[in-house]
Structure formats: C-alpha cells, structure tokens
Amino acid sequence: MKLTKSTIIVIFGISGDLSKRYILKAIGKLAGENKLPQNFKIIGITRKNNLDINTILKDNPHKEYLSNHIEILSMDTDDGLSFKKLKILIEETESEWHKKAEVLFYLSVPPQITQRIIKSLGSLNLKKEN
C-alpha cells in the first residue's frame, strides 16, 4: 500500500546507531518499493554541528533517495529557540508543497530527555485539523 498524504518524519537522534542501521534503511526500502508519497521529507535532529549526511548514509543501499529527502537540523533540546526553528522548517516545507503534511516524530534518544522533548514539541502547537 502506497502512502499518499504528504509526510514529514522528524527523527530525533538521526546520527545514532538505531537510526542509521534500522530506521533509515526501512524508509529507504519503502522508497525502493515506491510506497512513499511524492511529498516526503525526513528532518534529522542531531546535537552535532556540521554533521555530514554522507556519514549517516555511508552503508545505506538507498543513499541516493534518502540524501535527496533528508534535511539535518542541529539543535539543543534544552533550547526553546531550536524548537521554533524546527516549527519554521516544517511550515516552510508545507508551504513549498502547497499543502499540509502529516508530521511524525520519532525519538531515538536516551530516555532521560524524552519527556523534555515531548513537552517542547507540545508547546509548538503543531496540531493540525484533518
């Protein structure tokens, strides 16, 4: 079954082992089977500055597709301004597509920061009417 709604997946911890070895490979596989929508984007969140996407996708067989659909955002999860930048990036993507997107959040982070991230995301008021 092919997804048809415009979709943005925000992955906190994009440079981690779980993301690299499993999540990105699974997304790439779906792309290879033509099961992702035309309007599809991954926003990868990392604490690292100047992270090279090629480092993350080094061993991924779907590197070409993924590199064209990933945007890396370096942010501090303790900083509210960083979350506002994330919201702006989501809104700019939707504006570029001329339609609202389904936005999914995946937290591949240590448990002790999960609650803080969820609270910060909640404060952005990203809820959309369907």
Side-chain angles (χ1 to χ4, degrees):
M1 179 171 110
K2 180 176 179 158
L3 295 175
T4 56
K5 289 187 176 184
S6 299
T7 304
I8 299 170
I9 299 178
V10 180
I11 302 174
F12 284 83
I14 191 76
S15 62
D17 192 53
L18 179 65
S19 293
K20 289 191 285 191
R21 289 183 45 206
Y22 297 104
I23 297 168
L24 293 174
K25 284 186 180 177
I27 291 171
K29 185 174 187 225
L30 289 172
E33 295 171 357
N34 198 31
K35 293 184 178 178
L36 296 178
Q38 179 180 351
N39 294 328
F40 179 80
K41 182 175 197 167
I42 299 167
I43 299 174
I45 307 296
T46 181
R47 293 177 293 175
K48 300 176 182 179
N49 290 322
N50 303 319
L51 180 67
D52 180 24
I53 192 66
N54 292 318
T55 302
I56 295 172
L57 300 175
K58 186 174 97 179
D59 297 322
N60 195 304
H62 306 283
K63 181 178 182 175
E64 184 178 343
Y65 174 87
L66 291 169
S67 64
N68 290 321
H69 290 85
I70 291 180
E71 187 160 345
I72 301 297
L73 180 61
S74 177
M75 67 184 277
D76 177 359
T77 57
D78 289 327
D79 178 20
L81 183 59
S82 291
F83 282 90
K84 288 180 183 171
K85 288 179 184 178
L86 172 60
K87 181 178 182 176
I88 290 168
L89 181 55
I90 291 169
E91 290 171 344
E92 286 174 347
T93 300
E94 290 175 327
S95 179
E96 181 182 308
W97 291 342
H98 304 291
K99 56 177 64 178
K100 295 290 184 186
E102 295 289 327
V103 182
L104 309 168
F105 297 94
Y106 189 90
L107 279 63
S108 180
V109 296
Q112 59 269 27
I113 65 170
T114 301
Q115 186 175 9
R116 182 177 46 219
I117 292 171
I118 292 169
K119 280 185 176 183
S120 295
L121 289 171
S123 71
L124 293 179
N125 195 23
L126 291 171
K127 182 180 175 189
K128 299 192 171 58
E129 298 290 324
N130 287 334

PDB file of all heavy atoms in Angstrom, residues 37-43 64-71 97:
ATOM      1  N   PRO A  37       4.978   8.714  -0.316  1.00  0.00           N
ATOM      2  CA  PRO A  37       4.314   9.745  -1.123  1.00  0.00           C
ATOM      3  C   PRO A  37       5.320  10.598  -1.893  1.00  0.00           C
ATOM      4  O   PRO A  37       6.507  10.636  -1.568  1.00  0.00           O
ATOM      5  CB  PRO A  37       3.584  10.591  -0.075  1.00  0.00           C
ATOM      6  CG  PRO A  37       4.337  10.382   1.185  1.00  0.00           C
ATOM      7  CD  PRO A  37       4.888   8.987   1.123  1.00  0.00           C
ATOM      8  N   GLN A  38       4.820  11.293  -2.885  1.00  0.00           N
ATOM      9  CA  GLN A  38       5.671  12.182  -3.671  1.00  0.00           C
ATOM     10  C   GLN A  38       6.274  13.255  -2.777  1.00  0.00           C
ATOM     11  O   GLN A  38       7.453  13.572  -2.880  1.00  0.00           O
ATOM     12  CB  GLN A  38       4.865  12.820  -4.785  1.00  0.00           C
ATOM     13  CG  GLN A  38       5.669  13.778  -5.624  1.00  0.00           C
ATOM     14  CD  GLN A  38       4.841  14.404  -6.723  1.00  0.00           C
ATOM     15  OE1 GLN A  38       3.710  14.009  -6.972  1.00  0.00           O
ATOM     16  NE2 GLN A  38       5.402  15.389  -7.384  1.00  0.00           N
ATOM     17  N   ASN A  39       5.456  13.831  -1.905  1.00  0.00           N
ATOM     18  CA  ASN A  39       5.927  14.839  -0.960  1.00  0.00           C
ATOM     19  C   ASN A  39       6.329  14.140   0.333  1.00  0.00           C
ATOM     20  O   ASN A  39       5.486  13.847   1.174  1.00  0.00           O
ATOM     21  CB  ASN A  39       4.839  15.877  -0.674  1.00  0.00           C
ATOM     22  CG  ASN A  39       4.507  16.713  -1.886  1.00  0.00           C
ATOM     23  OD1 ASN A  39       5.363  16.970  -2.718  1.00  0.00           O
ATOM     24  ND2 ASN A  39       3.270  17.126  -2.003  1.00  0.00           N
ATOM     25  N   PHE A  40       7.598  13.870   0.465  1.00  0.00           N
ATOM     26  CA  PHE A  40       8.122  13.141   1.618  1.00  0.00           C
ATOM     27  C   PHE A  40       9.439  13.766   2.036  1.00  0.00           C
ATOM     28  O   PHE A  40      10.297  14.064   1.200  1.00  0.00           O
ATOM     29  CB  PHE A  40       8.338  11.664   1.272  1.00  0.00           C
ATOM     30  CG  PHE A  40       8.903  10.875   2.406  1.00  0.00           C
ATOM     31  CD1 PHE A  40       8.085  10.427   3.423  1.00  0.00           C
ATOM     32  CD2 PHE A  40      10.258  10.601   2.473  1.00  0.00           C
ATOM     33  CE1 PHE A  40       8.611   9.712   4.493  1.00  0.00           C
ATOM     34  CE2 PHE A  40      10.789   9.883   3.534  1.00  0.00           C
ATOM     35  CZ  PHE A  40       9.955   9.438   4.545  1.00  0.00           C
ATOM     36  N   LYS A  41       9.579  13.968   3.340  1.00  0.00           N
ATOM     37  CA  LYS A  41      10.817  14.564   3.848  1.00  0.00           C
ATOM     38  C   LYS A  41      11.132  14.005   5.227  1.00  0.00           C
ATOM     39  O   LYS A  41      10.229  13.756   6.023  1.00  0.00           O
ATOM     40  CB  LYS A  41      10.668  16.081   3.937  1.00  0.00           C
ATOM     41  CG  LYS A  41      11.913  16.816   4.403  1.00  0.00           C
ATOM     42  CD  LYS A  41      11.685  18.303   4.334  1.00  0.00           C
ATOM     43  CE  LYS A  41      12.988  19.044   4.392  1.00  0.00           C
ATOM     44  NZ  LYS A  41      12.824  20.443   4.020  1.00  0.00           N
ATOM     45  N   ILE A  42      12.409  13.837   5.479  1.00  0.00           N
ATOM     46  CA  ILE A  42      12.905  13.477   6.808  1.00  0.00           C
ATOM     47  C   ILE A  42      13.666  14.688   7.337  1.00  0.00           C
ATOM     48  O   ILE A  42      14.527  15.236   6.646  1.00  0.00           O
ATOM     49  CB  ILE A  42      13.857  12.268   6.750  1.00  0.00           C
ATOM     50  CG1 ILE A  42      13.146  11.040   6.196  1.00  0.00           C
ATOM     51  CG2 ILE A  42      14.456  11.992   8.131  1.00  0.00           C
ATOM     52  CD1 ILE A  42      14.085   9.907   5.827  1.00  0.00           C
ATOM     53  N   ILE A  43      13.312  15.104   8.539  1.00  0.00           N
ATOM     54  CA  ILE A  43      14.101  16.131   9.220  1.00  0.00           C
ATOM     55  C   ILE A  43      14.866  15.405  10.320  1.00  0.00           C
ATOM     56  O   ILE A  43      14.268  14.858  11.246  1.00  0.00           O
ATOM     57  CB  ILE A  43      13.214  17.244   9.806  1.00  0.00           C
ATOM     58  CG1 ILE A  43      12.434  17.952   8.692  1.00  0.00           C
ATOM     59  CG2 ILE A  43      14.082  18.244  10.590  1.00  0.00           C
ATOM     60  CD1 ILE A  43      11.436  18.975   9.187  1.00  0.00           C
ATOM     61  N   GLU A  64      21.017   7.390  -2.305  1.00  0.00           N
ATOM     62  CA  GLU A  64      20.654   8.442  -3.255  1.00  0.00           C
ATOM     63  C   GLU A  64      19.275   9.030  -2.940  1.00  0.00           C
ATOM     64  O   GLU A  64      19.115  10.244  -2.845  1.00  0.00           O
ATOM     65  CB  GLU A  64      20.682   7.910  -4.685  1.00  0.00           C
ATOM     66  CG  GLU A  64      20.403   8.989  -5.704  1.00  0.00           C
ATOM     67  CD  GLU A  64      20.489   8.478  -7.132  1.00  0.00           C
ATOM     68  OE1 GLU A  64      21.064   7.392  -7.365  1.00  0.00           O
ATOM     69  OE2 GLU A  64      19.973   9.177  -8.003  1.00  0.00           O
ATOM     70  N   TYR A  65      18.289   8.161  -2.756  1.00  0.00           N
ATOM     71  CA  TYR A  65      16.948   8.646  -2.436  1.00  0.00           C
ATOM     72  C   TYR A  65      16.952   9.406  -1.114  1.00  0.00           C
ATOM     73  O   TYR A  65      16.432  10.517  -1.022  1.00  0.00           O
ATOM     74  CB  TYR A  65      15.945   7.487  -2.358  1.00  0.00           C
ATOM     75  CG  TYR A  65      14.583   7.946  -1.888  1.00  0.00           C
ATOM     76  CD1 TYR A  65      13.646   8.418  -2.804  1.00  0.00           C
ATOM     77  CD2 TYR A  65      14.251   7.962  -0.529  1.00  0.00           C
ATOM     78  CE1 TYR A  65      12.405   8.883  -2.377  1.00  0.00           C
ATOM     79  CE2 TYR A  65      13.021   8.424  -0.105  1.00  0.00           C
ATOM     80  CZ  TYR A  65      12.098   8.876  -1.028  1.00  0.00           C
ATOM     81  OH  TYR A  65      10.880   9.344  -0.597  1.00  0.00           O
ATOM     82  N   LEU A  66      17.517   8.805  -0.095  1.00  0.00           N
ATOM     83  CA  LEU A  66      17.495   9.408   1.238  1.00  0.00           C
ATOM     84  C   LEU A  66      18.219  10.747   1.278  1.00  0.00           C
ATOM     85  O   LEU A  66      17.734  11.698   1.894  1.00  0.00           O
ATOM     86  CB  LEU A  66      18.083   8.441   2.262  1.00  0.00           C
ATOM     87  CG  LEU A  66      17.237   7.192   2.539  1.00  0.00           C
ATOM     88  CD1 LEU A  66      18.030   6.181   3.361  1.00  0.00           C
ATOM     89  CD2 LEU A  66      15.937   7.556   3.226  1.00  0.00           C
ATOM     90  N   SER A  67      19.353  10.849   0.622  1.00  0.00           N
ATOM     91  CA  SER A  67      20.100  12.112   0.664  1.00  0.00           C
ATOM     92  C   SER A  67      19.306  13.249   0.020  1.00  0.00           C
ATOM     93  O   SER A  67      19.498  14.416   0.370  1.00  0.00           O
ATOM     94  CB  SER A  67      21.474  11.969   0.014  1.00  0.00           C
ATOM     95  OG  SER A  67      21.349  11.675  -1.357  1.00  0.00           O
ATOM     96  N   ASN A  68      18.412  12.920  -0.889  1.00  0.00           N
ATOM     97  CA  ASN A  68      17.566  13.937  -1.517  1.00  0.00           C
ATOM     98  C   ASN A  68      16.335  14.277  -0.688  1.00  0.00           C
ATOM     99  O   ASN A  68      15.606  15.208  -1.030  1.00  0.00           O
ATOM    100  CB  ASN A  68      17.122  13.475  -2.907  1.00  0.00           C
ATOM    101  CG  ASN A  68      18.273  13.452  -3.885  1.00  0.00           C
ATOM    102  OD1 ASN A  68      19.124  14.324  -3.867  1.00  0.00           O
ATOM    103  ND2 ASN A  68      18.316  12.442  -4.722  1.00  0.00           N
ATOM    104  N   HIS A  69      16.073  13.518   0.363  1.00  0.00           N
ATOM    105  CA  HIS A  69      14.864  13.710   1.156  1.00  0.00           C
ATOM    106  C   HIS A  69      15.134  13.966   2.637  1.00  0.00           C
ATOM    107  O   HIS A  69      14.217  13.961   3.445  1.00  0.00           O
ATOM    108  CB  HIS A  69      13.935  12.495   1.000  1.00  0.00           C
ATOM    109  CG  HIS A  69      13.325  12.425  -0.361  1.00  0.00           C
ATOM    110  ND1 HIS A  69      13.966  11.846  -1.421  1.00  0.00           N
ATOM    111  CD2 HIS A  69      12.146  12.888  -0.830  1.00  0.00           C
ATOM    112  CE1 HIS A  69      13.205  11.948  -2.493  1.00  0.00           C
ATOM    113  NE2 HIS A  69      12.097  12.582  -2.164  1.00  0.00           N
ATOM    114  N   ILE A  70      16.389  14.172   2.991  1.00  0.00           N
ATOM    115  CA  ILE A  70      16.741  14.439   4.392  1.00  0.00           C
ATOM    116  C   ILE A  70      17.294  15.852   4.524  1.00  0.00           C
ATOM    117  O   ILE A  70      18.105  16.289   3.713  1.00  0.00           O
ATOM    118  CB  ILE A  70      17.804  13.448   4.918  1.00  0.00           C
ATOM    119  CG1 ILE A  70      17.241  12.043   5.042  1.00  0.00           C
ATOM    120  CG2 ILE A  70      18.338  13.898   6.273  1.00  0.00           C
ATOM    121  CD1 ILE A  70      18.237  11.020   5.555  1.00  0.00           C
ATOM    122  N   GLU A  71      16.853  16.509   5.571  1.00  0.00           N
ATOM    123  CA  GLU A  71      17.447  17.782   5.959  1.00  0.00           C
ATOM    124  C   GLU A  71      17.876  17.630   7.413  1.00  0.00           C
ATOM    125  O   GLU A  71      17.100  17.170   8.250  1.00  0.00           O
ATOM    126  CB  GLU A  71      16.443  18.919   5.817  1.00  0.00           C
ATOM    127  CG  GLU A  71      17.077  20.259   6.059  1.00  0.00           C
ATOM    128  CD  GLU A  71      16.274  21.409   5.472  1.00  0.00           C
ATOM    129  OE1 GLU A  71      15.390  21.180   4.644  1.00  0.00           O
ATOM    130  OE2 GLU A  71      16.561  22.540   5.881  1.00  0.00           O
ATOM    131  N   TRP A  97       5.328  22.715  -0.584  1.00  0.00           N
ATOM    132  CA  TRP A  97       4.470  21.683  -1.168  1.00  0.00           C
ATOM    133  C   TRP A  97       3.057  22.197  -1.470  1.00  0.00           C
ATOM    134  O   TRP A  97       2.279  21.518  -2.113  1.00  0.00           O
ATOM    135  CB  TRP A  97       4.357  20.487  -0.231  1.00  0.00           C
ATOM    136  CG  TRP A  97       5.612  19.694  -0.077  1.00  0.00           C
ATOM    137  CD1 TRP A  97       6.706  19.691  -0.899  1.00  0.00           C
ATOM    138  CD2 TRP A  97       5.902  18.760   0.955  1.00  0.00           C
ATOM    139  NE1 TRP A  97       7.653  18.810  -0.415  1.00  0.00           N
ATOM    140  CE2 TRP A  97       7.185  18.222   0.713  1.00  0.00           C
ATOM    141  CE3 TRP A  97       5.210  18.319   2.071  1.00  0.00           C
ATOM    142  CZ2 TRP A  97       7.777  17.278   1.542  1.00  0.00           C
ATOM    143  CZ3 TRP A  97       5.795  17.374   2.895  1.00  0.00           C
ATOM    144  CH2 TRP A  97       7.064  16.857   2.632  1.00  0.00           C
TER     145      TRP A  97
END
